[in-house]
Amino acid sequence: ILNVEQSPQSLHVQEGDSTNFTCSFPSSNFYALHWYRWETAKSPEALFVMTLNGDEKKKGRISATLNTKEGYSYLYIKGSQPEDSATYLCALSGNTPLVFGKGTRLSVIA
Amino acid sequence: DVKVTQSSRYLVKRTGEKVFLECVQDMDHENMFWYRQDPGLGLRLIYFSYDVKMKEKGDIPEGYSVSREKKERFSLILESASTNQTSMYLCASKKRADIYEQYFGPGTRLTVT
């Protein structure tokens, strides 16, 4: 069974701070890594799908990196805003359905 | 835009009732999934389907069944609802290959009393 770990479990930052969190996964049989943002009362929304070692993707103030050899991905948020408050999920895909981590819950305090 | 819709946002049912949760997607996706989300436990996969009339058990299928008679519709059935099935239920769909994004519905908050 694939195990996807996310840390920290929750995080409080001040508006304007930059922050990052981690997704760890088994490095063998890697296929793709997904990042989602899940705001309260909304559906999880896909942020990135990453497949190649060394991949770096960016969407506005949010970016992600991938290291498949050591089995981790970082999600960075630059200059956090209150609207960034959400749970950030990572998920691993292979020959089976996506395996999700438990998420990092981010609260940005104005 | 991909749209995944679920029949209800909030549902309250009594213990022992048969409950149907419906999910419909409009992008001709082959794969459909049902998850439940509970505090501290993350998203857990209940059942999934790779195509019409196909179904596979996920990590926590006990107490649930599913039906996929049409490609766009995937139903989750609680044969006899119990209080430990009180949860947020999320449906999702995606194209067949693994690198594609998975799209989620808005969720159904089910309370079993």
Side-chain angles (χ1 to χ4, degrees), chain A residues 1 9 31-32 34 36 38 41-47 49 51 89 93-98 100-102, chain B residues 9 33 35 37 40-43 45 48 50 88 90 94 97-107:
Chain A
I1 296 176
Q9 190 173 12
Y31 198 90
H34 304 243
Y36 287 83
W38 192 2
K42 293 187 178 179
S43 311
E45 172 199 358
L47 288 172
V49 181
T51 57
L89 296 169
S93 62
N95 292 324
T96 56
L98 292 181
F100 284 87
K102 292 182 181 177
Chain B
R9 291 300 301 269
F33 309 86
Y35 297 87
Q37 193 259 344
L41 297 178
L43 279 172
L45 182 65
F48 60 102
Y50 285 136
M88 169 69 84
L90 282 162
K94 67 190 284 286
D98 279 322
I99 64 168
Y100 287 105
E101 293 175 11
Q102 184 163 301
Y103 295 87
F104 286 86

mmCIF file of all heavy atoms in Angstrom, chain A residues 1 9 31-32 34 36 38 41-47 49 51 89 93-98 100-102, chain B residues 9 33 35 37 40-43 45 48 50 88 90 94 97-107:
data_model
loop_
_atom_site.group_PDB
_atom_site.id
_atom_site.type_symbol
_atom_site.label_atom_id
_atom_site.label_comp_id
_atom_site.label_asym_id
_atom_site.label_seq_id
_atom_site.Cartn_x
_atom_site.Cartn_y
_atom_site.Cartn_z
ATOM 1 N N ILE A 1 0.858 -1.189 0.000
ATOM 2 C CA ILE A 1 0.000 0.000 0.000
ATOM 3 C C ILE A 1 0.894 1.240 0.000
ATOM 4 O O ILE A 1 1.795 1.354 0.805
ATOM 5 C CB ILE A 1 -0.918 0.028 1.239
ATOM 6 C CG1 ILE A 1 -1.879 -1.164 1.207
ATOM 7 C CG2 ILE A 1 -1.699 1.325 1.290
ATOM 8 C CD1 ILE A 1 -2.753 -1.267 2.431
ATOM 9 N N GLN A 9 0.969 19.124 9.649
ATOM 10 C CA GLN A 9 -0.463 18.844 9.559
ATOM 11 C C GLN A 9 -1.250 20.152 9.447
ATOM 12 O O GLN A 9 -2.249 20.230 8.738
ATOM 13 C CB GLN A 9 -0.897 18.081 10.814
ATOM 14 C CG GLN A 9 -2.299 17.527 10.749
ATOM 15 C CD GLN A 9 -2.598 16.645 11.952
ATOM 16 O OE1 GLN A 9 -1.846 16.617 12.936
ATOM 17 N NE2 GLN A 9 -3.684 15.932 11.907
ATOM 18 N N TYR A 31 4.924 7.574 -10.730
ATOM 19 C CA TYR A 31 4.292 7.877 -12.017
ATOM 20 C C TYR A 31 3.972 9.366 -12.115
ATOM 21 O O TYR A 31 4.384 10.043 -13.035
ATOM 22 C CB TYR A 31 3.038 7.024 -12.199
ATOM 23 C CG TYR A 31 2.572 6.947 -13.618
ATOM 24 C CD1 TYR A 31 3.027 5.951 -14.474
ATOM 25 C CD2 TYR A 31 1.675 7.889 -14.118
ATOM 26 C CE1 TYR A 31 2.608 5.896 -15.790
ATOM 27 C CE2 TYR A 31 1.250 7.833 -15.425
ATOM 28 C CZ TYR A 31 1.718 6.843 -16.258
ATOM 29 O OH TYR A 31 1.310 6.799 -17.561
ATOM 30 N N ALA A 32 3.222 9.869 -11.151
ATOM 31 C CA ALA A 32 2.883 11.301 -11.160
ATOM 32 C C ALA A 32 2.477 11.744 -9.761
ATOM 33 O O ALA A 32 1.983 10.949 -8.968
ATOM 34 C CB ALA A 32 1.741 11.593 -12.135
ATOM 35 N N HIS A 34 0.286 14.806 -7.708
ATOM 36 C CA HIS A 34 -0.733 15.840 -7.875
ATOM 37 C C HIS A 34 -0.789 16.695 -6.611
ATOM 38 O O HIS A 34 -0.695 16.171 -5.500
ATOM 39 C CB HIS A 34 -2.109 15.206 -8.073
ATOM 40 C CG HIS A 34 -2.198 14.237 -9.208
ATOM 41 N ND1 HIS A 34 -3.016 14.446 -10.293
ATOM 42 C CD2 HIS A 34 -1.586 13.051 -9.437
ATOM 43 C CE1 HIS A 34 -2.907 13.427 -11.137
ATOM 44 N NE2 HIS A 34 -2.044 12.567 -10.634
ATOM 45 N N TYR A 36 -3.443 19.520 -4.768
ATOM 46 C CA TYR A 36 -4.785 20.087 -4.788
ATOM 47 C C TYR A 36 -4.910 21.130 -3.683
ATOM 48 O O TYR A 36 -4.303 20.995 -2.615
ATOM 49 C CB TYR A 36 -5.842 19.000 -4.524
ATOM 50 C CG TYR A 36 -6.067 18.053 -5.666
ATOM 51 C CD1 TYR A 36 -5.242 16.961 -5.852
ATOM 52 C CD2 TYR A 36 -7.088 18.259 -6.583
ATOM 53 C CE1 TYR A 36 -5.433 16.090 -6.916
ATOM 54 C CE2 TYR A 36 -7.291 17.395 -7.644
ATOM 55 C CZ TYR A 36 -6.458 16.315 -7.802
ATOM 56 O OH TYR A 36 -6.647 15.458 -8.849
ATOM 57 N N TRP A 38 -7.939 22.735 -1.284
ATOM 58 C CA TRP A 38 -9.308 22.463 -0.877
ATOM 59 C C TRP A 38 -9.750 23.520 0.114
ATOM 60 O O TRP A 38 -9.389 23.481 1.286
ATOM 61 C CB TRP A 38 -9.395 21.065 -0.258
ATOM 62 C CG TRP A 38 -10.783 20.554 -0.063
ATOM 63 C CD1 TRP A 38 -11.957 21.170 -0.407
ATOM 64 C CD2 TRP A 38 -11.142 19.315 0.527
ATOM 65 N NE1 TRP A 38 -13.015 20.376 -0.096
ATOM 66 C CE2 TRP A 38 -12.552 19.241 0.487
ATOM 67 C CE3 TRP A 38 -10.423 18.267 1.069
ATOM 68 C CZ2 TRP A 38 -13.236 18.135 0.966
ATOM 69 C CZ3 TRP A 38 -11.109 17.179 1.561
ATOM 70 C CH2 TRP A 38 -12.497 17.111 1.514
ATOM 71 N N ALA A 41 -15.984 24.460 2.139
ATOM 72 C CA ALA A 41 -17.267 24.530 1.426
ATOM 73 C C ALA A 41 -17.108 24.508 -0.099
ATOM 74 O O ALA A 41 -18.064 24.808 -0.824
ATOM 75 C CB ALA A 41 -18.086 25.746 1.853
ATOM 76 N N LYS A 42 -15.932 24.160 -0.574
ATOM 77 C CA LYS A 42 -15.732 24.042 -2.024
ATOM 78 C C LYS A 42 -15.158 22.674 -2.362
ATOM 79 O O LYS A 42 -14.754 21.920 -1.479
ATOM 80 C CB LYS A 42 -14.776 25.124 -2.513
ATOM 81 C CG LYS A 42 -15.328 26.526 -2.401
ATOM 82 C CD LYS A 42 -14.381 27.518 -3.057
ATOM 83 C CE LYS A 42 -14.942 28.926 -2.993
ATOM 84 N NZ LYS A 42 -14.027 29.901 -3.613
ATOM 85 N N SER A 43 -15.097 22.363 -3.670
ATOM 86 C CA SER A 43 -14.475 21.112 -4.111
ATOM 87 C C SER A 43 -12.962 21.262 -4.115
ATOM 88 O O SER A 43 -12.456 22.353 -4.385
ATOM 89 C CB SER A 43 -14.899 20.779 -5.542
ATOM 90 O OG SER A 43 -16.280 20.883 -5.702
ATOM 91 N N PRO A 44 -12.221 20.172 -3.881
ATOM 92 C CA PRO A 44 -10.772 20.238 -4.102
ATOM 93 C C PRO A 44 -10.487 20.643 -5.553
ATOM 94 O O PRO A 44 -11.125 20.151 -6.480
ATOM 95 C CB PRO A 44 -10.308 18.798 -3.831
ATOM 96 C CG PRO A 44 -11.348 18.223 -2.934
ATOM 97 C CD PRO A 44 -12.635 18.859 -3.355
ATOM 98 N N GLU A 45 -9.512 21.537 -5.693
ATOM 99 C CA GLU A 45 -9.178 22.077 -7.011
ATOM 100 C C GLU A 45 -7.748 21.697 -7.349
ATOM 101 O O GLU A 45 -6.843 21.905 -6.542
ATOM 102 C CB GLU A 45 -9.321 23.595 -6.947
ATOM 103 C CG GLU A 45 -8.834 24.345 -8.169
ATOM 104 C CD GLU A 45 -8.588 25.809 -7.859
ATOM 105 O OE1 GLU A 45 -8.831 26.235 -6.718
ATOM 106 O OE2 GLU A 45 -8.113 26.518 -8.769
ATOM 107 N N ALA A 46 -7.547 21.145 -8.536
ATOM 108 C CA ALA A 46 -6.204 20.728 -8.930
ATOM 109 C C ALA A 46 -5.300 21.940 -9.114
ATOM 110 O O ALA A 46 -5.678 22.914 -9.753
ATOM 111 C CB ALA A 46 -6.269 19.921 -10.223
ATOM 112 N N LEU A 47 -4.103 21.866 -8.548
ATOM 113 C CA LEU A 47 -3.096 22.920 -8.729
ATOM 114 C C LEU A 47 -2.053 22.483 -9.765
ATOM 115 O O LEU A 47 -1.800 23.183 -10.734
ATOM 116 C CB LEU A 47 -2.387 23.220 -7.407
ATOM 117 C CG LEU A 47 -3.189 23.950 -6.338
ATOM 118 C CD1 LEU A 47 -2.402 23.980 -5.024
ATOM 119 C CD2 LEU A 47 -3.517 25.365 -6.785
ATOM 120 N N VAL A 49 0.046 18.896 -11.696
ATOM 121 C CA VAL A 49 0.378 17.490 -11.897
ATOM 122 C C VAL A 49 1.832 17.466 -12.344
ATOM 123 O O VAL A 49 2.201 18.151 -13.305
ATOM 124 C CB VAL A 49 -0.502 16.832 -12.985
ATOM 125 C CG1 VAL A 49 -0.129 15.362 -13.140
ATOM 126 C CG2 VAL A 49 -1.964 16.977 -12.642
ATOM 127 N N THR A 51 5.371 15.121 -13.179
ATOM 128 C CA THR A 51 5.786 13.775 -13.537
ATOM 129 C C THR A 51 7.303 13.582 -13.580
ATOM 130 O O THR A 51 7.786 12.467 -13.404
ATOM 131 C CB THR A 51 5.215 13.388 -14.914
ATOM 132 O OG1 THR A 51 5.645 14.364 -15.881
ATOM 133 C CG2 THR A 51 3.699 13.342 -14.894
ATOM 134 N N LEU A 89 -3.606 19.317 -0.453
ATOM 135 C CA LEU A 89 -3.473 17.863 -0.518
ATOM 136 C C LEU A 89 -2.470 17.490 -1.599
ATOM 137 O O LEU A 89 -2.462 18.102 -2.674
ATOM 138 C CB LEU A 89 -4.802 17.219 -0.908
ATOM 139 C CG LEU A 89 -5.982 17.369 0.044
ATOM 140 C CD1 LEU A 89 -7.268 16.896 -0.644
ATOM 141 C CD2 LEU A 89 -5.749 16.553 1.291
ATOM 142 N N SER A 93 -0.076 9.060 -8.061
ATOM 143 C CA SER A 93 -0.782 8.151 -8.968
ATOM 144 C C SER A 93 0.189 7.141 -9.552
ATOM 145 O O SER A 93 1.375 7.418 -9.730
ATOM 146 C CB SER A 93 -1.485 8.926 -10.080
ATOM 147 O OG SER A 93 -0.565 9.624 -10.878
ATOM 148 N N GLY A 94 -0.343 5.968 -9.833
ATOM 149 C CA GLY A 94 0.446 4.880 -10.399
ATOM 150 C C GLY A 94 -0.493 3.995 -11.179
ATOM 151 O O GLY A 94 -1.256 4.468 -12.001
ATOM 152 N N ASN A 95 -0.497 2.710 -10.887
ATOM 153 C CA ASN A 95 -1.422 1.802 -11.567
ATOM 154 C C ASN A 95 -2.755 1.660 -10.840
ATOM 155 O O ASN A 95 -3.582 0.847 -11.183
ATOM 156 C CB ASN A 95 -0.788 0.414 -11.696
ATOM 157 C CG ASN A 95 0.380 0.466 -12.662
ATOM 158 O OD1 ASN A 95 0.348 1.188 -13.643
ATOM 159 N ND2 ASN A 95 1.412 -0.291 -12.361
ATOM 160 N N THR A 96 -2.922 2.470 -9.808
ATOM 161 C CA THR A 96 -4.119 2.387 -8.970
ATOM 162 C C THR A 96 -4.697 3.790 -8.842
ATOM 163 O O THR A 96 -4.063 4.757 -9.269
ATOM 164 C CB THR A 96 -3.762 1.847 -7.579
ATOM 165 O OG1 THR A 96 -2.746 2.700 -7.013
ATOM 166 C CG2 THR A 96 -3.235 0.424 -7.657
ATOM 167 N N PRO A 97 -5.877 3.940 -8.238
ATOM 168 C CA PRO A 97 -6.390 5.298 -8.015
ATOM 169 C C PRO A 97 -5.421 6.159 -7.204
ATOM 170 O O PRO A 97 -4.553 5.638 -6.507
ATOM 171 C CB PRO A 97 -7.678 5.050 -7.229
ATOM 172 C CG PRO A 97 -8.084 3.683 -7.588
ATOM 173 C CD PRO A 97 -6.812 2.920 -7.800
ATOM 174 N N LEU A 98 -5.620 7.461 -7.292
ATOM 175 C CA LEU A 98 -4.788 8.400 -6.534
ATOM 176 C C LEU A 98 -4.765 8.023 -5.052
ATOM 177 O O LEU A 98 -5.792 7.686 -4.478
ATOM 178 C CB LEU A 98 -5.334 9.822 -6.663
ATOM 179 C CG LEU A 98 -5.234 10.498 -8.030
ATOM 180 C CD1 LEU A 98 -5.812 11.898 -7.941
ATOM 181 C CD2 LEU A 98 -3.798 10.548 -8.488
ATOM 182 N N PHE A 100 -4.004 9.710 -1.558
ATOM 183 C CA PHE A 100 -3.895 11.058 -0.999
ATOM 184 C C PHE A 100 -3.180 11.047 0.343
ATOM 185 O O PHE A 100 -3.326 10.123 1.141
ATOM 186 C CB PHE A 100 -5.285 11.659 -0.797
ATOM 187 C CG PHE A 100 -5.941 12.122 -2.057
ATOM 188 C CD1 PHE A 100 -6.680 11.244 -2.825
ATOM 189 C CD2 PHE A 100 -5.803 13.436 -2.484
ATOM 190 C CE1 PHE A 100 -7.276 11.669 -4.002
ATOM 191 C CE2 PHE A 100 -6.395 13.864 -3.658
ATOM 192 C CZ PHE A 100 -7.132 12.983 -4.416
ATOM 193 N N GLY A 101 -2.429 12.117 0.593
ATOM 194 C CA GLY A 101 -1.968 12.386 1.938
ATOM 195 C C GLY A 101 -3.110 13.002 2.732
ATOM 196 O O GLY A 101 -4.184 13.269 2.194
ATOM 197 N N LYS A 102 -2.869 13.226 4.025
ATOM 198 C CA LYS A 102 -3.932 13.761 4.877
ATOM 199 C C LYS A 102 -4.045 15.276 4.785
ATOM 200 O O LYS A 102 -4.965 15.867 5.336
ATOM 201 C CB LYS A 102 -3.712 13.341 6.328
ATOM 202 C CG LYS A 102 -3.904 11.841 6.517
ATOM 203 C CD LYS A 102 -3.731 11.430 7.959
ATOM 204 C CE LYS A 102 -3.904 9.913 8.078
ATOM 205 N NZ LYS A 102 -3.684 9.441 9.454
ATOM 206 N N ARG B 9 -26.210 18.619 -1.275
ATOM 207 C CA ARG B 9 -25.106 19.150 -0.484
ATOM 208 C C ARG B 9 -25.184 18.673 0.963
ATOM 209 O O ARG B 9 -24.167 18.424 1.602
ATOM 210 C CB ARG B 9 -25.109 20.680 -0.502
ATOM 211 C CG ARG B 9 -24.763 21.297 -1.851
ATOM 212 C CD ARG B 9 -23.370 20.896 -2.328
ATOM 213 N NE ARG B 9 -22.300 21.258 -1.430
ATOM 214 C CZ ARG B 9 -21.624 22.398 -1.488
ATOM 215 N NH1 ARG B 9 -21.932 23.303 -2.397
ATOM 216 N NH2 ARG B 9 -20.642 22.646 -0.651
ATOM 217 N N PHE B 33 -14.945 7.973 -8.957
ATOM 218 C CA PHE B 33 -14.513 7.581 -7.620
ATOM 219 C C PHE B 33 -15.465 8.116 -6.561
ATOM 220 O O PHE B 33 -16.030 9.198 -6.727
ATOM 221 C CB PHE B 33 -13.118 8.165 -7.319
ATOM 222 C CG PHE B 33 -12.090 7.892 -8.377
ATOM 223 C CD1 PHE B 33 -11.958 8.731 -9.475
ATOM 224 C CD2 PHE B 33 -11.252 6.797 -8.276
ATOM 225 C CE1 PHE B 33 -11.007 8.485 -10.452
ATOM 226 C CE2 PHE B 33 -10.292 6.541 -9.255
ATOM 227 C CZ PHE B 33 -10.183 7.389 -10.341
ATOM 228 N N TYR B 35 -15.219 8.970 -2.401
ATOM 229 C CA TYR B 35 -14.391 9.098 -1.201
ATOM 230 C C TYR B 35 -15.259 9.559 -0.041
ATOM 231 O O TYR B 35 -16.305 10.179 -0.235
ATOM 232 C CB TYR B 35 -13.327 10.190 -1.383
ATOM 233 C CG TYR B 35 -12.310 9.958 -2.465
ATOM 234 C CD1 TYR B 35 -12.549 10.352 -3.786
ATOM 235 C CD2 TYR B 35 -11.081 9.366 -2.166
ATOM 236 C CE1 TYR B 35 -11.599 10.150 -4.771
ATOM 237 C CE2 TYR B 35 -10.128 9.171 -3.153
ATOM 238 C CZ TYR B 35 -10.395 9.573 -4.451
ATOM 239 O OH TYR B 35 -9.450 9.378 -5.429
ATOM 240 N N GLN B 37 -14.505 11.837 3.621
ATOM 241 C CA GLN B 37 -13.501 12.643 4.301
ATOM 242 C C GLN B 37 -13.927 12.859 5.730
ATOM 243 O O GLN B 37 -15.027 13.354 5.994
ATOM 244 C CB GLN B 37 -13.331 13.998 3.587
ATOM 245 C CG GLN B 37 -12.099 14.757 4.025
ATOM 246 C CD GLN B 37 -12.424 15.859 5.021
ATOM 247 O OE1 GLN B 37 -13.560 16.251 5.167
ATOM 248 N NE2 GLN B 37 -11.399 16.353 5.680
ATOM 249 N N GLY B 40 -8.966 14.367 10.450
ATOM 250 C CA GLY B 40 -7.789 13.616 10.875
ATOM 251 C C GLY B 40 -7.495 12.373 10.057
ATOM 252 O O GLY B 40 -6.444 11.759 10.215
ATOM 253 N N LEU B 41 -8.416 11.994 9.181
ATOM 254 C CA LEU B 41 -8.227 10.762 8.396
ATOM 255 C C LEU B 41 -8.015 11.029 6.917
ATOM 256 O O LEU B 41 -7.714 10.120 6.149
ATOM 257 C CB LEU B 41 -9.431 9.836 8.579
ATOM 258 C CG LEU B 41 -9.669 9.331 10.001
ATOM 259 C CD1 LEU B 41 -10.922 8.473 10.068
ATOM 260 C CD2 LEU B 41 -8.458 8.532 10.499
ATOM 261 N N GLY B 42 -8.179 12.257 6.478
ATOM 262 C CA GLY B 42 -7.984 12.571 5.070
ATOM 263 C C GLY B 42 -9.057 11.968 4.188
ATOM 264 O O GLY B 42 -10.123 11.556 4.646
ATOM 265 N N LEU B 43 -8.752 11.919 2.908
ATOM 266 C CA LEU B 43 -9.671 11.348 1.925
ATOM 267 C C LEU B 43 -9.452 9.842 1.851
ATOM 268 O O LEU B 43 -8.345 9.394 1.591
ATOM 269 C CB LEU B 43 -9.416 11.950 0.546
ATOM 270 C CG LEU B 43 -10.009 13.313 0.247
ATOM 271 C CD1 LEU B 43 -9.476 13.826 -1.087
ATOM 272 C CD2 LEU B 43 -11.515 13.266 0.243
ATOM 273 N N LEU B 45 -10.728 6.244 0.005
ATOM 274 C CA LEU B 45 -11.425 5.760 -1.183
ATOM 275 C C LEU B 45 -12.374 4.635 -0.810
ATOM 276 O O LEU B 45 -11.968 3.638 -0.209
ATOM 277 C CB LEU B 45 -10.394 5.277 -2.204
ATOM 278 C CG LEU B 45 -10.919 4.770 -3.538
ATOM 279 C CD1 LEU B 45 -11.591 5.885 -4.318
ATOM 280 C CD2 LEU B 45 -9.763 4.173 -4.344
ATOM 281 N N PHE B 48 -14.405 2.644 -6.699
ATOM 282 C CA PHE B 48 -14.143 3.341 -7.936
ATOM 283 C C PHE B 48 -14.585 2.490 -9.123
ATOM 284 O O PHE B 48 -14.883 1.292 -8.978
ATOM 285 C CB PHE B 48 -12.676 3.769 -8.054
ATOM 286 C CG PHE B 48 -11.680 2.649 -8.019
ATOM 287 C CD1 PHE B 48 -11.099 2.184 -9.185
ATOM 288 C CD2 PHE B 48 -11.277 2.083 -6.812
ATOM 289 C CE1 PHE B 48 -10.141 1.177 -9.161
ATOM 290 C CE2 PHE B 48 -10.325 1.069 -6.780
ATOM 291 C CZ PHE B 48 -9.761 0.615 -7.951
ATOM 292 N N TYR B 50 -13.735 2.011 -13.441
ATOM 293 C CA TYR B 50 -12.940 2.380 -14.599
ATOM 294 C C TYR B 50 -13.781 2.486 -15.865
ATOM 295 O O TYR B 50 -13.303 2.978 -16.887
ATOM 296 C CB TYR B 50 -11.817 1.366 -14.837
ATOM 297 C CG TYR B 50 -10.668 1.485 -13.869
ATOM 298 C CD1 TYR B 50 -10.098 0.364 -13.282
ATOM 299 C CD2 TYR B 50 -10.139 2.731 -13.542
ATOM 300 C CE1 TYR B 50 -9.037 0.478 -12.399
ATOM 301 C CE2 TYR B 50 -9.081 2.859 -12.660
ATOM 302 C CZ TYR B 50 -8.538 1.730 -12.100
ATOM 303 O OH TYR B 50 -7.485 1.846 -11.224
ATOM 304 N N MET B 88 -18.472 13.453 5.222
ATOM 305 C CA MET B 88 -18.525 14.188 3.956
ATOM 306 C C MET B 88 -18.167 13.206 2.853
ATOM 307 O O MET B 88 -17.115 12.555 2.910
ATOM 308 C CB MET B 88 -17.524 15.354 3.981
ATOM 309 C CG MET B 88 -17.326 16.008 2.626
ATOM 310 S SD MET B 88 -18.761 16.907 2.065
ATOM 311 C CE MET B 88 -18.495 18.463 2.923
ATOM 312 N N LEU B 90 -17.358 12.647 -1.167
ATOM 313 C CA LEU B 90 -16.913 13.351 -2.366
ATOM 314 C C LEU B 90 -16.854 12.387 -3.530
ATOM 315 O O LEU B 90 -16.300 11.296 -3.424
ATOM 316 C CB LEU B 90 -15.521 13.937 -2.154
ATOM 317 C CG LEU B 90 -15.452 15.208 -1.329
ATOM 318 C CD1 LEU B 90 -14.060 15.426 -0.831
ATOM 319 C CD2 LEU B 90 -15.881 16.403 -2.158
ATOM 320 N N LYS B 94 -12.074 11.345 -13.716
ATOM 321 C CA LYS B 94 -10.898 11.722 -14.504
ATOM 322 C C LYS B 94 -10.848 10.901 -15.771
ATOM 323 O O LYS B 94 -11.472 9.848 -15.872
ATOM 324 C CB LYS B 94 -9.609 11.561 -13.703
ATOM 325 C CG LYS B 94 -9.249 10.128 -13.360
ATOM 326 C CD LYS B 94 -8.100 10.072 -12.355
ATOM 327 C CE LYS B 94 -6.762 10.353 -12.941
ATOM 328 N NZ LYS B 94 -6.237 9.262 -13.759
ATOM 329 N N ALA B 97 -5.986 7.890 -18.294
ATOM 330 C CA ALA B 97 -4.562 7.821 -17.967
ATOM 331 C C ALA B 97 -4.252 8.521 -16.654
ATOM 332 O O ALA B 97 -4.893 9.495 -16.278
ATOM 333 C CB ALA B 97 -3.738 8.449 -19.089
ATOM 334 N N ASP B 98 -3.229 8.050 -15.984
ATOM 335 C CA ASP B 98 -2.941 8.500 -14.630
ATOM 336 C C ASP B 98 -2.466 9.930 -14.534
ATOM 337 O O ASP B 98 -2.597 10.555 -13.494
ATOM 338 C CB ASP B 98 -1.900 7.588 -13.992
ATOM 339 C CG ASP B 98 -2.528 6.328 -13.464
ATOM 340 O OD1 ASP B 98 -3.641 6.403 -12.937
ATOM 341 O OD2 ASP B 98 -1.903 5.269 -13.582
ATOM 342 N N ILE B 99 -1.895 10.493 -15.598
ATOM 343 C CA ILE B 99 -1.335 11.825 -15.444
ATOM 344 C C ILE B 99 -2.394 12.907 -15.507
ATOM 345 O O ILE B 99 -2.100 14.064 -15.282
ATOM 346 C CB ILE B 99 -0.243 12.117 -16.483
ATOM 347 C CG1 ILE B 99 -0.847 12.121 -17.892
ATOM 348 C CG2 ILE B 99 0.900 11.136 -16.362
ATOM 349 C CD1 ILE B 99 0.096 12.681 -18.933
ATOM 350 N N TYR B 100 -3.609 12.551 -15.821
ATOM 351 C CA TYR B 100 -4.624 13.584 -15.924
ATOM 352 C C TYR B 100 -5.130 13.996 -14.558
ATOM 353 O O TYR B 100 -5.121 13.241 -13.607
ATOM 354 C CB TYR B 100 -5.798 13.097 -16.787
ATOM 355 C CG TYR B 100 -5.458 13.037 -18.248
ATOM 356 C CD1 TYR B 100 -5.236 11.828 -18.871
ATOM 357 C CD2 TYR B 100 -5.358 14.200 -19.010
ATOM 358 C CE1 TYR B 100 -4.920 11.755 -20.215
ATOM 359 C CE2 TYR B 100 -5.047 14.134 -20.355
ATOM 360 C CZ TYR B 100 -4.831 12.916 -20.960
ATOM 361 O OH TYR B 100 -4.522 12.850 -22.276
ATOM 362 N N GLU B 101 -5.612 15.248 -14.505
ATOM 363 C CA GLU B 101 -6.178 15.766 -13.272
ATOM 364 C C GLU B 101 -7.458 15.024 -12.927
ATOM 365 O O GLU B 101 -8.184 14.560 -13.796
ATOM 366 C CB GLU B 101 -6.527 17.244 -13.438
ATOM 367 C CG GLU B 101 -5.334 18.140 -13.603
ATOM 368 C CD GLU B 101 -5.741 19.575 -13.873
ATOM 369 O OE1 GLU B 101 -6.937 19.891 -13.717
ATOM 370 O OE2 GLU B 101 -4.866 20.359 -14.235
ATOM 371 N N GLN B 102 -7.705 14.955 -11.646
ATOM 372 C CA GLN B 102 -8.944 14.394 -11.154
ATOM 373 C C GLN B 102 -9.821 15.547 -10.702
ATOM 374 O O GLN B 102 -9.349 16.459 -10.022
ATOM 375 C CB GLN B 102 -8.640 13.452 -9.993
ATOM 376 C CG GLN B 102 -9.829 12.711 -9.447
ATOM 377 C CD GLN B 102 -9.396 11.521 -8.599
ATOM 378 O OE1 GLN B 102 -8.699 10.625 -9.066
ATOM 379 N NE2 GLN B 102 -9.803 11.511 -7.345
ATOM 380 N N TYR B 103 -11.095 15.520 -11.075
ATOM 381 C CA TYR B 103 -12.014 16.600 -10.758
ATOM 382 C C TYR B 103 -13.025 16.125 -9.731
ATOM 383 O O TYR B 103 -13.571 15.033 -9.853
ATOM 384 C CB TYR B 103 -12.734 17.066 -12.031
ATOM 385 C CG TYR B 103 -11.803 17.680 -13.028
ATOM 386 C CD1 TYR B 103 -11.122 16.898 -13.954
ATOM 387 C CD2 TYR B 103 -11.570 19.059 -13.039
ATOM 388 C CE1 TYR B 103 -10.253 17.453 -14.861
ATOM 389 C CE2 TYR B 103 -10.708 19.629 -13.954
ATOM 390 C CZ TYR B 103 -10.049 18.821 -14.861
ATOM 391 O OH TYR B 103 -9.180 19.379 -15.756
ATOM 392 N N PHE B 104 -13.270 16.981 -8.759
ATOM 393 C CA PHE B 104 -14.145 16.626 -7.650
ATOM 394 C C PHE B 104 -15.484 17.338 -7.720
ATOM 395 O O PHE B 104 -15.587 18.469 -8.199
ATOM 396 C CB PHE B 104 -13.474 16.998 -6.317
ATOM 397 C CG PHE B 104 -12.352 16.086 -5.925
ATOM 398 C CD1 PHE B 104 -11.068 16.313 -6.385
ATOM 399 C CD2 PHE B 104 -12.578 15.008 -5.090
ATOM 400 C CE1 PHE B 104 -10.023 15.474 -6.015
ATOM 401 C CE2 PHE B 104 -11.543 14.164 -4.703
ATOM 402 C CZ PHE B 104 -10.267 14.401 -5.180
ATOM 403 N N GLY B 105 -16.494 16.673 -7.189
ATOM 404 C CA GLY B 105 -17.774 17.319 -6.963
ATOM 405 C C GLY B 105 -17.742 18.140 -5.693
ATOM 406 O O GLY B 105 -16.747 18.131 -4.962
ATOM 407 N N PRO B 106 -18.833 18.841 -5.380
ATOM 408 C CA PRO B 106 -18.863 19.736 -4.227
ATOM 409 C C PRO B 106 -19.008 19.024 -2.892
ATOM 410 O O PRO B 106 -18.825 19.641 -1.839
ATOM 411 C CB PRO B 106 -20.086 20.605 -4.496
ATOM 412 C CG PRO B 106 -20.966 19.762 -5.353
ATOM 413 C CD PRO B 106 -20.054 18.922 -6.197
ATOM 414 N N GLY B 107 -19.323 17.745 -2.919
ATOM 415 C CA GLY B 107 -19.452 16.994 -1.671
ATOM 416 C C GLY B 107 -20.874 16.944 -1.153
ATOM 417 O O GLY B 107 -21.681 17.840 -1.408
#
